[in-house]
Amino acid sequence: MQPVWFPQDLAEDQSTKQVNKEPPATNLNYEPIQTAGFANWIGQDLDEFEKAYGQPEESMTSGFSFTINRYEVDDGLLEVNTKDKRIKSIKYLGENNDDIEPFKFGMTMDELSKITMVYPNFTIDYHDQSIDLELEEDDMNYRPLIAFDNGSFAILFFEQTQGESRLYAVDYLDSETLVKLAPYTVANDEVPYYKQERDVHWNKIDQFKKRQTSRLIQLLRQKNDKPAFSLDSQLQASSEDLLNTFDKDKEDILMTERLQELQRFEESEPGTFILNDTEMSDLLAELKDPSVSGHLELPVYDPSFSVLTLYSTPVLKEQLMRADDASLAVAFSKENVLILWKELESQAEESESH
């Protein structure tokens, strides 16, 4: 057999190919932008904030180690969460763009891209722990996260407006609030989380959060030129009964796998648990009223934050902004919330006639 001689430049070709196969770096670290607007107040003393914005209309402990302070704003929302009188987060929905510089209400994602990149990954240093957050596609399109150079963050809430998403609200928050709310996928196995306080009046807290939720939903409908939801005392009683039923008889509503999933959330796994359509139908079955639909979610520590998130989720926004006349009811049980909608009888009868 004769030896086969390969070209002498083969080694160079292989070396070149090997270099070309190395993937480009994709772990792009986020870059903070200059602190502006409400971001300057994060970590500051509440008394100083109130010198500029006045006293709150209402204040209530959340039951989870922070206090919610609501301030009067014309046709808008201004809520400040505090812990030991230090500002932890500021939620704002209004008309004054100076408070949210360099952003502007109504701006598009294209306009945002001229200010900063929208990053898919964030590593948050919290005490002695590094926590990795991952933004999914919907997060980047409707709830992007922005970092400031003073260590604070902002979640920008975008809504679908005539096929294009536009900024309608902003939540400024510190790293602890961001990590504990867990609005994005958390890659870590163990993360800090909110714990229920002892010796608090949960009935008062639940009533306060119910009002918060209803008020913000009605405000968003007003801004969309939709009629306000009517309030139905019978539907309200049903919402409280159904939430109590779920608390006591989860096994009758959830399959084994979903029950185990819920238990992981209740044992501090970050994220949100939401009843799917089948589970919600099972929960509503005892009402025997097809005109009632609902949304059950947990854990909800900050009701206004949760409503803003629902509104920036296209499928859920349709329910919040439904065109037909309907009644609204909201029930809270600590960190669990149930929202019910009931189609008005005139609408239901018309649907049946067709």
Side-chain angles (χ1 to χ4, degrees):
M1 297 181 63
Q2 297 297 320
V4 177
W5 300 101
F6 292 95
Q8 292 184 359
D9 61 354
L10 180 61
E12 294 179 3
D13 292 343
Q14 288 179 329
S15 175
T16 302
K17 291 179 181 178
Q18 197 75 306
V19 171
N20 291 339
K21 287 182 179 179
E22 291 183 5
T26 57
N27 190 18
L28 185 64
N29 194 24
Y30 69 88
E31 291 289 338
I33 65 174
Q34 183 177 355
T35 304
F38 278 129
N40 286 298
W41 288 104
I42 299 301
Q44 300 302 309
D45 187 84
L46 180 64
D47 290 338
E48 293 300 315
F49 178 87
E50 291 180 346
K51 289 178 182 178
Y53 291 91
Q55 296 296 309
E57 280 192 302
E58 199 171 11
S59 295
M60 177 67 70
T61 178
S62 65
F64 297 96
S65 78
F66 62 89
T67 299
I68 301 172
N69 307 278
R70 186 175 63 84
Y71 297 82
E72 183 176 2
V73 177
D74 291 337
D75 299 326
L77 168 78
L78 176 58
E79 284 186 1
V80 179
N81 293 355
T82 57
K83 183 178 180 181
D84 299 327
K85 301 287 283 187
R86 290 288 171 181
I87 296 175
K88 305 291 289 179
S89 75
I90 300 175
K91 290 181 290 297
Y92 181 59
L93 187 165
E95 303 296 336
N96 187 356
N97 286 317
D98 293 341
D99 288 322
I100 63 167
E101 291 182 348
F103 317 117
K104 291 183 178 180
F105 289 120
M107 73 187 302
T108 64
M109 291 296 294
D110 286 341
E111 291 171 328
L112 176 62
S113 67
K114 297 175 182 177
I115 299 173
T116 180
M117 286 184 60
V118 176
Y119 295 92
N121 303 97
F122 285 76
T123 298
I124 310 298
D125 293 324
Y126 177 72
H127 294 180
D128 297 328
Q129 190 176 3
S130 292
I131 299 171
D132 296 317
L133 304 180
E134 300 174 358
L135 277 67
E136 299 179 359
E137 184 177 353
D138 275 359
D139 297 324
M140 296 181 70
N141 288 332
Y142 303 110
R143 295 173 294 276
L145 180 64
I146 307 298
F148 296 99
D149 58 11
N150 70 342
S152 66
F153 297 86
I155 297 175
L156 307 183
F157 291 96
F158 284 76
E159 65 167 326
Q160 281 282 2
T161 304
Q162 297 179 347
E164 189 173 21
S165 57
R166 293 185 179 274
L167 181 67
Y168 78 94
V170 185
D171 187 6
Y172 297 83
L173 60 177
D174 63 7
S175 58
E176 180 183 24
T177 304
L178 174 61
V179 168
K180 289 186 175 181
L181 280 178
Y184 308 110
T185 300
V186 180
N188 305 63
D189 292 331
E190 295 184 8
V191 295
Y193 60 96
Y194 286 119
K195 299 178 182 179
Q196 290 184 15
E197 292 182 88
R198 297 181 178 179
D199 302 323
V200 295
H201 299 289
W202 279 111
N203 286 338
K204 287 186 177 180
I205 295 172
D206 290 342
Q207 290 299 313
F208 171 76
K209 291 182 176 180
K210 181 189 75 174
R211 291 195 304 273
Q212 270 188 299
T213 302
S214 299
R215 184 183 292 118
L216 183 50
I217 290 175
Q218 301 283 39
L219 173 63
L220 291 170
R221 286 185 64 81
Q222 175 187 327
K223 287 187 168 295
N224 281 266
D225 298 321
K226 296 288 194 301
F229 285 127
S230 60
L231 301 180
D232 183 334
S233 58
Q234 184 175 351
L235 186 66
Q236 181 61 43
S238 295
S239 69
E240 293 168 4
D241 289 342
L242 287 175
L243 187 55
N244 185 54
T245 296
F246 177 78
D247 286 341
K248 292 182 177 180
D249 303 316
K250 298 182 180 71
E251 297 82 1
D252 296 335
I253 306 298
L254 304 175
M255 301 291 286
T256 302
E257 184 178 341
R258 286 280 286 167
L259 188 61
Q260 292 172 346
E261 182 181 347
L262 173 60
Q263 289 170 343
R264 291 197 298 271
F265 278 101
E266 292 177 333
E267 292 168 1
S268 78
E269 180 173 310
T272 302
F273 185 90
I274 298 174
L275 286 196
N276 61 36
D277 291 343
T278 301
E279 294 161 350
M280 179 56 66
S281 295
D282 291 342
L283 180 62
L284 295 174
E286 67 178 72
L287 294 183
K288 298 179 181 179
D289 187 346
S291 68
V292 177
S293 56
H295 173 82
L296 191 151
E297 177 180 342
L298 64 99
V300 172
Y301 306 115
D302 185 331
S304 295
F305 180 86
S306 296
V307 173
L308 294 178
T309 301
L310 295 179
Y311 184 69
S312 66
T313 304
V315 174
L316 293 171
K317 181 190 173 182
E318 290 182 9
Q319 185 73 302
L320 292 174
M321 296 297 116
R322 54 193 296 171
D324 58 336
D325 292 330
S327 299
L328 173 73
V330 179
F332 260 91
S333 176
K334 298 180 180 177
E335 70 266 38
N336 302 343
V337 63
L338 173 63
I339 303 174
L340 293 184
W341 295 271
K342 177 180 171 61
E343 188 178 357
L344 295 188
E345 290 183 11
S346 58
Q347 296 283 344
E349 290 172 1
E350 183 178 342
S351 298
E352 290 175 4
S353 65
H354 289 289

